[in-house]
Amino acid sequence: MQEEELDIEALKKNEEFLGNLKDIEKEMREENSIAKGYQLLDAKLLLEVPEEEINEIFTFIVNTAFDILAEKLSSGGQFNMDEYEDLATARAIYENGIQRYSENEKKAAKELFLILYFTIKDGTLAESMLIHAAVAMAGHSFDDFIDNIVDVTGVDESEPTAFFIQTYKEPIHVLLTKYAKEIKAAKAEIKALEESM
């Protein structure tokens, strides 16, 4: 543990490392890259920089993600989870949905999960977003969702989509049946969204 702390202290003074971070930040802004935003955020969190710096990067990530989402929705595009930038964008929207859900903003969270269901190309991940929306619609609290519905032991952290909750204590087909009423209502909302495009 002691050695790890020394490495972080050394990184804080390493000109090459700090120069690389400046380059990443410049590329993030020039390319409007959410993936580079997350890269920068992870490094800055490791360096324990002031909260304002973290908030600034996080704000960039969220605002850019919603701009890209608006473009996807207006063009009928989808997020391809094999594309690093699409994955990072979907992750930012998902994390915003999870934050809303944890703050008991169930309606806002449900809407974000449904939009992800609608825009994510990956069938299994999209189905998982539908489960998230249905559970929120059924009135479950975020804590109840995490404690009683999600199975965190099944997460493969090497998977690029590991940031998204996709493992449950019951099989997905059982949950789809259990929340059939909410899913029917959710799909009606999606149909209305599709027709408005």
Side-chain angles (χ1 to χ4, degrees), residues 45-102:
L45 285 168
L46 184 70
L47 294 176
E48 298 168 344
V49 300
E51 201 175 322
E52 304 83 65
E53 278 187 59
I54 299 295
N55 289 343
E56 190 185 322
I57 299 164
F58 194 71
T59 301
F60 168 87
I61 289 171
V62 172
N63 290 347
T64 307
F66 280 97
D67 289 347
I68 292 168
L69 176 64
E71 285 171 28
K72 292 263 186 217
L73 288 172
S74 65
S75 68
Q78 285 189 300
F79 291 116
N80 179 350
M81 296 297 103
D82 295 328
E83 297 288 330
Y84 193 56
E85 202 58 52
D86 273 6
L87 176 63
T89 306
R91 172 187 166 186
I93 294 157
Y94 177 70
E95 286 177 349
N96 193 270
I98 287 291
Q99 183 185 345
R100 299 281 183 96
Y101 195 8
S102 71

Side-chain angles (χ1 to χ4, degrees), residues 12 117 125 135 150 172 187 189:
K12 287 179 183 179
Y117 167 70
L125 185 53
V135 168
V150 171
I172 282 195
K187 285 190 171 173
E189 282 188 43

Side-chain angles (χ1 to χ4, degrees), residues 87-156:
L87 176 63
T89 306
R91 172 187 166 186
I93 294 157
Y94 177 70
E95 286 177 349
N96 193 270
I98 287 291
Q99 183 185 345
R100 299 281 183 96
Y101 195 8
S102 71
E103 292 167 355
N104 207 27
E105 294 176 37
K106 291 187 188 115
K107 186 177 184 298
K110 172 211 63 168
E111 286 167 1
L112 289 172
F113 297 142
L114 283 181
I115 284 170
L116 285 168
Y117 167 70
F118 181 67
T119 53
I120 287 178
K121 222 177 187 175
D122 179 308
T124 312
L125 185 53
E127 212 168 46
S128 190
M129 294 302 102
L130 192 57
I131 303 275
H132 281 57
V135 168
M137 289 167 84
H140 289 279
S141 71
F142 177 72
D143 289 342
D144 184 33
F145 175 60
I146 296 299
D147 296 342
N148 302 316
I149 298 168
V150 171
D151 175 15
V152 288
T153 61
V155 177
D156 177 0

Side-chain angles (χ1 to χ4, degrees), residues 148-167:
N148 302 316
I149 298 168
V150 171
D151 175 15
V152 288
T153 61
V155 177
D156 177 0
E157 289 184 22
S158 67
E159 273 295 305
T161 58
F163 292 103
F164 299 87
I165 294 170
Q166 301 174 74
T167 51

